[in-house]
Amino acid sequence: MKNYIFVSIVLLLISGCSQSTSKESIRFMGIIGDVTVSKIEVIDGRTGERHSITKTEKIEQFYQLLNEREYKEMKNHEDLKGYIYCAVLYSGKKDFNITFLGDEIDINGTYYALNNPILEEDIFKVLE
């Protein structure tokens, strides 16, 4: 009986800790809100080459790439110079500038730590 109570308390503590962590992390949709993206421009920072995404299926694929991660806002982050990929998401309400920095991302000047990095290969797959 004592073991059962001990295990119950431990599980309760673990679930409480995991819930407080998830409150600090948000999904991409929680950052930009409920907007309809009509076009995405992706810029290769090394070559300056621009890729326009206008097909609905590719926009959804790109959006899914962003939304399947958790974002945690970073305070007092220094601005970085240079990037491998940058994207602009166009919607009727507001445009979103996104700079991909591996396990970090800059969205309209606010830096976020990612629970799972967005790799160059991930972005390239969407651009194919």
Side-chain angles (χ1 to χ4, degrees), residues 10-36:
V10 169
L11 289 175
L12 182 64
L13 289 173
I14 290 172
S15 68
C17 292
S18 66
Q19 286 179 356
S20 66
T21 302
S22 65
K23 288 181 183 176
E24 296 174 4
S25 298
I26 55 176
R27 297 281 182 184
F28 184 68
M29 190 171 177
I31 296 170
I32 69 167
D34 187 19
V35 298
T36 302

Side-chain angles (χ1 to χ4, degrees), residues 8-77:
S8 297
I9 292 172
V10 169
L11 289 175
L12 182 64
L13 289 173
I14 290 172
S15 68
C17 292
S18 66
Q19 286 179 356
S20 66
T21 302
S22 65
K23 288 181 183 176
E24 296 174 4
S25 298
I26 55 176
R27 297 281 182 184
F28 184 68
M29 190 171 177
I31 296 170
I32 69 167
D34 187 19
V35 298
T36 302
V37 175
S38 58
K39 177 181 172 184
I40 300 173
E41 269 192 8
V42 180
I43 304 161
D44 187 325
R46 297 162 297 188
T47 65
E49 184 178 355
R50 292 178 176 266
H51 305 270
S52 289
I53 301 172
T54 55
K55 291 183 179 180
T56 304
E57 65 209 32
K58 287 292 187 178
I59 290 173
E60 288 174 3
Q61 190 178 0
F62 196 87
Y63 192 81
Q64 181 180 357
L65 176 71
L66 294 168
N67 205 45
E68 63 189 12
R69 286 153 173 80
E70 293 180 5
Y71 297 72
K72 184 175 179 183
E73 187 173 342
M74 301 170 70
K75 303 290 182 189
N76 303 321
H77 193 283

Side-chain angles (χ1 to χ4, degrees), residues 80-91:
L80 299 176
K81 303 219 184 299
Y83 57 87
I84 295 177
Y85 283 105
C86 175
V88 180
L89 280 63
Y90 295 96
S91 79

